[in-house]
Amino acid sequence: MQYHRGRGFEDDEPLHRSTPGVSRHALPRLPMNEASPRERIGTEALALLEELCAISSPSGDRQGLGRMAERLARAFDEVGLPSRIELTGADALPLLLAGSPECAGALLVAGHLDTVLPAIRPRREADRLVGTGAIDMKGGLAAFWGALALLRAEGTVTGAWPADWGLVATPDEEVGGAVTRRTLARFGGNARALWVLEPGARRDDEGETLVVGRRGVVHFHLGIDGRAAHAGVDFPSGRSALAAAAEWVTRATALTAPSRGPTVNPARLVAGEAAAVDAPAALASLLGTPRQVNVVPDRARIDGEARFFSESDGEEVTAELARLADEIGRSREVRCAIDIGEPIPPLELTALRLAAAERAVALAAARGWNLELEDDRGGISFPNFLPAGVALPVLDGLGPVGGGMHTRDEFLDLASFSRRVELLADLLADELGP
């Protein structure tokens, strides 16, 4: 596959001008007599990661996502895992497929090409690599490449890879997009296991985590219509949609439970005179002025989400949100109409998934480091989009740890990157059997 020209950048600025792409074959390599295979592959995997971080691939940037897909396709081709790129959806976004994810009973490895922010110049700082997507989740993709390369370099695999290994890298995971959802529906139901290259997390005791549980999420929209009135002359005749919205937000937020319970986040509240609320530009022109503050607000709109650890918790919290809307509507004599979207289910820990996770923990321990199970990850990812009823084992959070995710200070821990390359190689070797 042809690798398109990359994009240049200024220090700490988004990428914006064209410069030639860089072939991995041109990267400096340590002579075989000066480095062990693990050291050499570690150096090459890190160099690949720096290349990936330099490619600007925010969600929706079709050209940048295409550059990411083509660079990764070439990298996987080089280690003998044949790859192809499908252009999918109305926007023709690239979906990278390597190996045979469509194979019945496949080991399905999942990652994503997109980042939240445009790229800045990656740089090394002591024991860190600072770069856009360094942990979320270009680090995981580079670590998986490193694991394959390591198995080759050490002679564990000398011929073709197993026919039932497959990787997918989607272009829109950061926005919960349609391609990611369709891809998991397409391949997840036939897989024997799902491995996810999202990052783990640091632990205070120098350990790192493997994700075994993720919250589900549901989005809601609440519309409230009251009755306008002159706030000075005829205040009692008004029915304030804003007051009703404030009460609903206060009581809905109070449904958030500490620790393991659900969380409710009303994220946007717009209220005021109906015509202004329906025309956001007009409403914005009123902010900070005394205009229309003498009108009892007759319209309010609220957007938000609720997250939960179990499907039963999700059903309970959404039922309570609807009940509050009904109660407040009746008590304040306003019309409340709540629209609750289709829930994205949580990833719940099962005995099957626990057994797979404990094997990974044992492999890490054999290498001398502590891998802990994290069962309370709040973010949505690939396992949440598995088809309903699919009970396959899931290893999530296999990527290296760091910090600053989704910010300009995102960084990867270099020692963690080395550990994750080895862990993935050990897990793949385990799949090969004796």
Side-chain angles (χ1 to χ4, degrees):
M1 294 183 179
Q2 179 64 37
Y3 178 44
H4 294 301
R5 293 168 64 88
R7 298 177 70 187
F9 41 80
E10 302 294 334
D11 288 343
D12 298 325
E13 292 294 331
L15 305 190
H16 66 277
R17 59 183 171 82
S18 294
T19 58
V22 180
S23 167
R24 198 177 65 81
H25 290 297
L27 294 173
R29 295 171 181 261
L30 296 176
M32 285 295 291
N33 61 350
E34 294 184 15
S36 69
R38 287 179 181 257
E39 292 171 329
R40 178 170 58 85
I41 296 303
T43 297
E44 294 183 0
L46 185 56
L48 173 62
L49 175 56
E50 288 181 298
E51 277 194 73
L52 298 179
C53 287
I55 298 172
S56 193
S57 57
S59 305
D61 180 353
R62 186 175 59 174
Q63 290 186 342
L65 293 165
R67 284 188 288 271
M68 265 292 295
E70 293 214 10
R71 183 63 191 94
L72 279 168
R74 195 177 60 187
F76 287 123
D77 283 343
E78 289 171 357
V79 292
L81 193 67
S83 59
R84 63 192 187 276
I85 298 171
E86 293 182 358
L87 300 181
T88 182
D91 296 328
L93 295 176
L95 170 65
L96 173 66
L97 306 174
S100 302
E102 70 282 358
C103 178
L107 168 63
L108 181 63
V109 182
H112 60 87
L113 306 168
D114 59 326
T115 58
V116 172
L117 300 173
I120 60 171
R121 184 189 299 273
R123 64 187 186 277
R124 297 193 198 185
E125 294 182 351
D127 58 352
R128 298 178 173 185
L129 174 67
V130 179
T132 308
I135 56 172
D136 190 19
M137 49 92 64
K138 296 179 179 183
L141 288 164
F144 184 69
W145 178 88
L148 295 172
L150 183 57
L151 292 178
R152 286 278 191 217
E154 294 189 330
T156 305
V157 175
T158 56
W161 298 105
D164 61 354
W165 286 9
L167 173 137
V168 298
T170 66
D172 58 358
E173 189 275 344
E174 289 292 4
V175 292
V179 177
T180 294
R181 296 180 188 227
R182 286 198 302 267
T183 300
L184 268 292
R186 175 182 172 187
F187 300 121
N190 291 325
R192 73 169 186 272
L194 174 64
W195 293 3
V196 181
L197 301 176
E198 291 283 8
R202 293 170 174 264
R203 284 292 186 251
D204 292 339
D205 60 358
E206 301 296 322
E208 300 180 11
T209 71
L210 187 72
V211 177
V212 294
R214 285 185 180 271
R215 290 178 181 256
V217 66
V218 64
H219 298 105
F220 56 77
H221 172 79
L222 176 61
I224 304 176
D225 293 302
R227 184 188 306 144
H230 191 296
V233 176
D234 196 21
F235 185 84
S237 296
R239 296 293 182 266
S240 174
L242 175 54
E247 181 181 353
W248 188 89
V249 166
T250 299
R251 295 177 65 181
T253 304
L255 297 174
T256 295
S259 186
R260 300 287 304 178
T263 60
V264 179
N265 181 43
R268 277 189 296 273
L269 167 57
V270 181
E273 191 270 329
V277 172
D278 292 342
L283 183 64
S285 71
L286 298 175
L287 296 177
T289 78
R291 293 159 54 202
Q292 295 188 14
V293 298
N294 60 348
V295 179
V296 175
D298 60 335
R299 185 155 295 171
R301 299 291 183 259
I302 301 169
D303 298 321
E305 64 163 38
R307 298 193 183 227
F308 43 87
F309 278 114
S310 69
E311 292 193 36
S312 60
D313 280 353
E315 292 169 359
E316 289 178 12
V317 73
T318 52
E320 185 63 13
L321 293 175
R323 190 197 66 77
L324 284 175
D326 182 66
E327 178 185 323
I328 292 169
R330 286 185 284 104
S331 67
R332 290 187 173 271
E333 298 180 9
V334 296
R335 177 179 172 274
C336 292
I338 189 166
D339 178 22
I340 296 176
E342 186 70 25
I344 297 173
L347 171 67
E348 298 187 61
L349 182 59
T350 64
L352 189 66
R353 291 166 182 168
L354 180 60
E358 287 178 339
R359 178 58 183 155
V361 169
L363 289 171
R367 294 284 181 188
W369 61 284
N370 184 32
L371 185 63
E372 303 177 18
L373 302 186
E374 179 186 355
D375 65 353
D376 59 353
R377 181 67 68 95
I380 301 299
S381 187
F382 295 97
N384 298 93
F385 301 126
L386 283 169
V390 170
L392 75 170
V394 175
L395 292 180
D396 192 357
L398 284 168
V401 309
M405 191 185 303
H406 297 181
T407 75
R408 283 293 177 218
D409 298 316
E410 182 171 348
F411 71 89
L412 171 142
D413 182 288
L414 295 178
S416 175
F417 183 69
S418 298
R419 287 192 286 266
R420 297 297 176 136
V421 170
E422 286 193 331
L423 175 62
L424 284 162
D426 290 343
L427 286 166
L428 290 171
D430 229 27
E431 288 288 316
L432 295 170

